[in-house]
Amino acid sequence: MPDLATHLSRAVGEAFGAAGLDPALGQVRASEVADFQCNGAMQAAKGAGKPPRAIAEDVAARLAGVAGIANTEIAGPGFINLTVDGAALAARAQAIANDARAGAEVVTPRRVIIDYAGPNVAKAMHVGHLRSSIIGESVKRLFRFRGDMVWGDAHFGDWGFQMGLLIVSLEERFGSVESEAVKSAITLDLLEEIYPQAASRAKEDPSFRDLARKATAKLQAGDPAYRAIWRVMRDVTMATLKREFAALGVSFDLWLGESDADPLIPEMVVDLETKGLLEEDQGARIVRVAAPGETKKKKLDDGSVVVAESPDPLLIISRDGSAMYGTTDLATIVQRVRDFHPDLVLYVVDQRQADHFEQVFRAAAKAKYIPREKLEHIGFGTMNGVDGKPFKTRAGGVLKLNDLIGQAREKARTRLQEADIGTNFSPEEFEDVAEKVAVAAIKFADLSNFRGTSYVFDLDRFMSFEGKTGPYLLYACVRIKSILRKAADQRVAAGPITIAAPAERALTLALDAFEGALAASYDRRAPHFLAEHVYALSQKFSAFYDQCPILSEKDDAVRGSRLALAQATLKQLEIGLDLLGIAAPERM
Ligand code: ARG
């Protein structure tokens, strides 16, 4: 059964058609003043040479007797306001209550790869990785729920210059990287201690930088000892990362790394060469991606301004012969096309990498690896500190996922204690609830903003049980669960749904809006539409529960109907939250 908006859009579209106008004008949407409204008459007026009100009246007259419409009204310059009848609302609520998907449609399945998180060996994760993990996980769940075949890939950064820096530092510290001692000494803590020192030393010390470059090249060329130590560093990091991601409710189908694309590079370079796409540029090898005439003004180091092609060419092989970030991304496309035949590849990565992806995507299309429209960069803004700059920890360093989760869990415990929640729980249950509250707070705060917007990290606000927060939504779920438990204890059973009271109408309209919110989140790859929906739904439930008693209702049929509405609401809330990557506890 389609949602009411779809059903009504079809009916109003047919009325526009019967009036000799474009049926597409019949699109309706939720309204503040009625149940739904259609603005098509205003759009139609120009072309039809008639006043919009006259068109609206004509269309409205043709809607008389249409199933589901109780009343039409023309407002203002020609808005068509529609009120849905109680029977249609009841039928829709019943369909949602009976449906395991709570009223959500499925799409024609596609093969979709989602590239997200993108953590690196040794380099600590920053807010970009955190946001990518949260948004990517939600987009993955959303696409899968809509019916697509989805692979989430962590695209592990395990192949760049940082590996050379680490190897050279380990050689210095342990004499060589071949001993068992060095292998067993490697922990994430050690790597995270060594890497920042090595990175800053490389900036000041050209000979050290050179050593690290050579080590990187030697590793990439397949030196057995370097490969062996590289594998240890990679495995140690991956094991820790998997644990940290699990704590955040983030998991991947593939843990392919940049290194996995490396074997494809030589052949790809030959292929680009054969296709005449590779050009020599001051000793480096590049692929030009700007169309003729696509230019921008560029400031040179000496201060002069020149007109240069835009986007910049994609650097394939640097002057000293190494493969670059863009090279692995291009080779990864070759690999993904070969192994997965994707219809769509989504890259959930910080907005600041937009130019990089534009270059890579254009190069991939030029080389005919995959059409440009099958590649999409899903960019996002930053999570900022109160200073307006990307969030750092109190010590000023970049954020570590573990620290953030720990900090949130700590705050969740305090909040629960302050609210007297869980005083009678076992320690295990209390910890489980604190963990769920922590994750819900962090994720909902992120996902309730449009992904392109930057927002300020404010754990106190995220963790509040009031307002548009994750903990509030968990509380809403738990409250319904407790009503359902009481109903079971009192042997009250759900019955057929009827809709009469205004709060029942409003709750049903909110339930009906799920499909539209899912479609918007899916089409725009933007989970905030769904976040907005679950919040609105929980508020409508709250108003319903205030105005429409359930267990204390005397009339059996009304009580059974309201209980069924409560069950349907919980099901949809839990599905919606799960698609945001959020799980609710049984009680709190
Ligand atoms: N590892 C990269 C970074 O830390 C992010 C990877 C994003 N994905 C990609 N295919 N380039 O910035």
Side-chain angles (χ1 to χ4, degrees):
M1 183 190 199
D3 61 349
L4 292 167
T6 306
H7 167 72
L8 293 172
S9 296
R10 218 172 278 155
V12 180
E14 277 166 24
F16 269 97
L21 295 163
D22 182 1
L25 294 164
Q27 210 54 246
V28 310
R29 53 182 173 146
S31 157
E32 304 261 294
V33 287
D35 294 340
F36 293 95
Q37 77 179 49
C38 171
N39 302 344
M42 269 83 74
Q43 279 165 263
K46 256 202 201 131
K50 274 195 229 164
R53 257 196 102 91
I55 296 173
E57 271 156 19
D58 182 10
V59 170
R62 292 170 199 273
L63 288 171
V66 168
I69 301 180
N71 187 36
T72 55
E73 210 178 72
I74 315 297
F79 299 106
I80 305 170
N81 291 338
L82 302 166
T83 309
V84 181
D85 69 34
L89 285 173
R92 179 66 185 143
Q94 192 66 60
I96 292 170
N98 296 346
D99 179 9
R101 298 171 56 82
E105 306 284 329
V106 282
V107 297
T108 316
R110 291 177 296 180
R111 302 170 66 85
V112 183
I113 295 177
I114 306 184
D115 178 319
Y116 68 109
N120 304 304
V121 170
K123 298 196 237 174
M125 284 198 263
H126 53 68
V127 295
H129 298 102
L130 175 75
R131 291 211 69 192
S132 174
S133 309
I134 293 174
I135 298 166
E137 179 71 22
S138 177
V139 171
K140 179 189 76 181
R141 292 178 185 211
L142 199 57
F143 271 64
R144 195 167 280 159
F145 184 66
R146 292 299 265 173
D148 288 320
M149 184 145 174
V150 184
W151 293 271
D153 183 5
H155 198 70
F156 197 22
D158 62 357
W159 205 235
F161 181 54
Q162 90 264 31
M163 302 312 309
L165 284 171
L166 288 166
I167 289 173
V168 173
S169 305
L170 287 172
E171 278 180 330
E172 221 171 55
R173 201 178 265 232
F174 293 90
S176 117
V177 292
E178 294 187 42
S179 68
E180 278 311 308
V182 52
K183 281 179 195 152
S184 52
I186 289 179
T187 60
L188 196 60
D189 283 343
L190 179 71
L191 298 180
E192 283 177 353
E193 179 199 320
I194 294 177
Y195 173 73
Q197 294 167 4
S200 53
R201 190 168 146 203
K203 283 197 187 111
E204 285 138 30
D205 178 351
S207 67
F208 182 73
R209 183 166 62 228
D210 208 45
L211 272 178
R213 282 225 179 100
K214 290 205 173 104
T216 311
K218 201 167 144 190
L219 166 73
Q220 298 188 347
D223 179 86
Y226 279 14
R227 284 287 173 121
I229 196 73
W230 165 80
R231 195 158 298 119
V232 176
M233 292 194 277
R234 179 177 192 272
D235 292 351
V236 164
T237 309
M238 199 189 285
T240 311
L241 286 174
K242 280 185 180 169
R243 231 182 5 256
E244 294 188 2
F245 279 123
L248 197 63
V250 172
S251 67
F252 302 90
D253 307 289
L254 304 169
W255 266 91
L256 291 175
E258 293 175 2
S259 64
D260 292 291
D262 186 67
L264 284 89
I265 291 177
E267 211 178 302
M268 182 182 82
V269 171
V270 173
D271 180 65
L272 293 171
E273 181 116 72
T274 317
K275 288 174 174 155
L277 297 173
L278 215 52
E279 281 177 46
E280 200 75 28
D281 184 53
Q282 300 164 49
R285 319 197 66 192
I286 59 166
V287 172
R288 288 189 197 280
V289 295
E294 258 189 309
T295 55
K296 65 165 180 237
K297 286 206 177 106
K298 198 170 159 182
K299 207 169 178 179
L300 297 182
D301 288 344
D302 66 6
S304 62
V305 175
V306 293
V307 174
E309 63 190 296
S310 170
D312 285 333
L314 181 70
L315 183 53
I316 301 289
I317 305 288
S318 74
R319 233 188 298 181
D320 52 32
S322 15
M324 310 304 287
Y325 183 44
T327 323
T328 24
D329 259 325
L330 195 58
T332 301
I333 290 177
V334 174
Q335 178 194 33
R336 286 175 175 162
V337 170
R338 183 192 69 189
D339 297 342
F340 298 98
H341 315 290
D343 299 306
L344 190 62
V345 188
L346 304 180
Y347 294 79
V348 185
V349 186
D350 197 314
Q351 193 56 43
R352 289 171 292 184
Q353 294 196 26
D355 291 345
H356 164 76
F357 285 110
E358 188 57 32
Q359 292 168 350
V360 171
F361 296 172
R362 287 185 183 215
K366 265 190 120 168
K368 304 228 165 9
Y369 296 146
I370 189 169
R372 171 69 183 81
E373 66 274 13
K374 291 189 176 181
L375 303 169
E376 275 181 46
H377 173 216
I378 310 301
F380 50 81
T382 52
M383 182 177 98
N384 294 332
V386 275
D387 59 358
K389 298 201 190 102
F391 180 77
K392 301 230 162 114
T393 58
R394 235 168 294 167
V398 285
L399 135 145
K400 288 192 185 144
L401 200 47
N402 234 7
D403 295 349
L404 177 84
I405 299 167
Q407 205 183 324
R409 215 183 276 146
E410 185 57 47
K411 181 134 277 168
R413 285 187 202 108
T414 317
R415 273 291 150 85
L416 289 170
Q417 278 153 0
E418 283 166 2
D420 254 340
I421 296 172
T423 42
N424 55 336
F425 292 0
S426 70
E428 294 77 30
E429 187 179 359
F430 185 80
E431 263 313 291
D432 178 62
V433 172
E435 168 123 20
K436 289 192 161 107
V437 168
V439 170
I442 295 174
K443 285 190 172 177
F444 194 81
D446 191 295
L447 296 172
S448 55
N449 299 292
F450 173 60
R451 60 178 158 76
T453 329
S454 299
Y455 66 97
V456 174
F457 181 76
D458 180 353
L459 207 45
D460 275 319
R461 195 165 55 76
F462 299 173
M463 203 61 80
S464 167
F465 280 104
E466 279 148 46
K468 210 189 223 175
T469 68
Y472 167 80
L473 286 160
L474 295 192
Y475 189 71
C477 283
V478 165
R479 192 152 76 131
I480 306 179
K481 288 185 186 190
S482 128
I483 298 167
L484 299 183
R485 267 198 305 271
K486 270 189 207 134
D489 288 347
Q490 298 173 19
R491 306 200 180 281
V492 175
I497 296 178
T498 50
I499 300 296
E504 292 173 337
R505 293 185 62 91
L507 178 59
T508 302
L509 288 169
L511 286 165
D512 180 59
F514 186 39
E515 167 60 21
L518 284 171
S521 285
Y522 180 75
D523 294 342
R524 312 256 314 265
R525 293 87 164 97
H528 77 286
F529 293 105
L530 181 60
E532 200 59 53
H533 171 76
V534 290
Y535 179 64
L537 179 64
S538 67
Q539 283 196 306
K540 293 292 187 244
F541 182 82
S542 192
F544 159 80
Y545 192 56
D546 278 349
Q547 288 153 40
C548 300
I550 301 179
L551 296 176
S552 61
E553 170 60 43
K554 297 279 177 310
D555 184 310
D556 281 353
V558 174
R559 189 173 56 227
S561 163
R562 287 181 182 164
L563 188 60
L565 276 174
Q567 285 172 345
T569 304
L570 177 65
K571 177 172 57 185
Q572 199 182 79
L573 269 181
E574 286 200 299
I575 293 175
L577 285 173
D578 180 64
L579 295 176
L580 298 174
I582 296 172
E586 279 317 298
R587 54 177 192 160
M588 64 189 244

